[in-house]
Amino acid sequence: MQSVSVKQVPTYSPQLLDEAIAAHFDALDVASDLTPESRVLIKPNLLAGRAPDLAVTTHPEVLLAVVRWLSARGITKITLADSPGGVYTPASLRKTYTACGLDVLDDFLTLNEDITASNKDGFSIITPVLEADYIINCCKLKTHGLTVMTAGVKNLFGCVPGLKKPEIHCMKPTIGSFCNLLVDLAEVVRPQVTLLDAIDCMEGNGPGGGSVRHMGYTLASRSPYALDEQATLLMGLQMQMIPILRIAKERKLLSGTTQLLGDTLRPANPPFTLPDAVLGTESIFTPKGIFHIVFGRKKAFPRVLTRRCVGCGLCAESCPKHIIKIVNKKAVISKKNCISCFCCQEMCPAHAIEAK
Ligand code: SF4
Ligand code: SF4
């Protein structure tokens, strides 16, 4: 049986977070896995360089609490690594760390600037992930225009370096094929623990352009699938709406019963507002998700809200099909060849891309 540890944590107070991390890691017996020699990787969600209070990225106070817990056990070989959206260079990583408020971690761990990667079981994976003995997957709870929600499993897509991610979107253009690949990737990376920052979450046009929704929880599990299942319930959503969970269940990676440890989990009421790209099809979701599996999301396309566009080009950089051009300082999308992955919307800092 899979277990998920639940703690109510109303704010990002260091003291409350220390208590929550201690309770989670006690419940999951994490200490018995580790020695002072362990090389631990912390894998946050650093989608883009955004301030912590926007709820796009894992909050630095959560990461600091994990580091304090590890340091108290004599563990010093700690690395934080992620491949954010867009290019993957030492300069872009450093910029992202600063924007996400992670410079405070510099004294306590290594903020990765190694941009090499190697192949493992068919995936290109960033080196710090491959070199770690122990992976703590520190994800953020958000809605997502393609996968409906992102928490533990989707966070591991950041183990794939830079612009290899858009290549994968091209190879797996339907929701079913892409989510199957995310599950394959989770099985390759196999984090020992997944910890969810669900204190300030994101609803609406997540994972980059939604609104902050305060829930006041952290969750932890040995299983990213069980954690995602409980995170879905916390959002007030149904499990069958989430393609990753349907696939995990079909592949028997998600057992029928999950043991909840710790506090009571109170689902969001009203449920999280879904992204534009999902809302249009919500009413025809079926328990088996036949609609998505058969049709993909071919009816939703991105549209640029020209008055908001600042011409930064981040959408063009992340588009796997290279169909976005900047013309007169505004993004222009050619709908032909669009695979509706919404990477462009995900990366837009100006909320200038909507789904139609
Ligand atoms: S235009 Fe946007 S949704 Fe279409 S392929 Fe490019 S990134 Fe994906
Ligand atoms: S649509 Fe958004 S990401 Fe693209 S250029 Fe305009 S502001 Fe930048």
Side-chain angles (χ1 to χ4, degrees), residues 302 315 318-321 323-324 333 337-344:
C315 53
S318 63
C319 174
K321 300 299 278 185
I323 53 173
I324 306 179
I333 300 177
N337 294 331
C338 176
I339 55 172
S340 301
C341 63
F342 287 93
C343 292
C344 48

Side-chain angles (χ1 to χ4, degrees), residues 29-41:
D29 195 18
V30 173
S32 67
D33 298 342
L34 296 163
T35 72
E37 288 309 305
S38 300
R39 289 168 302 176
V40 178
L41 179 93

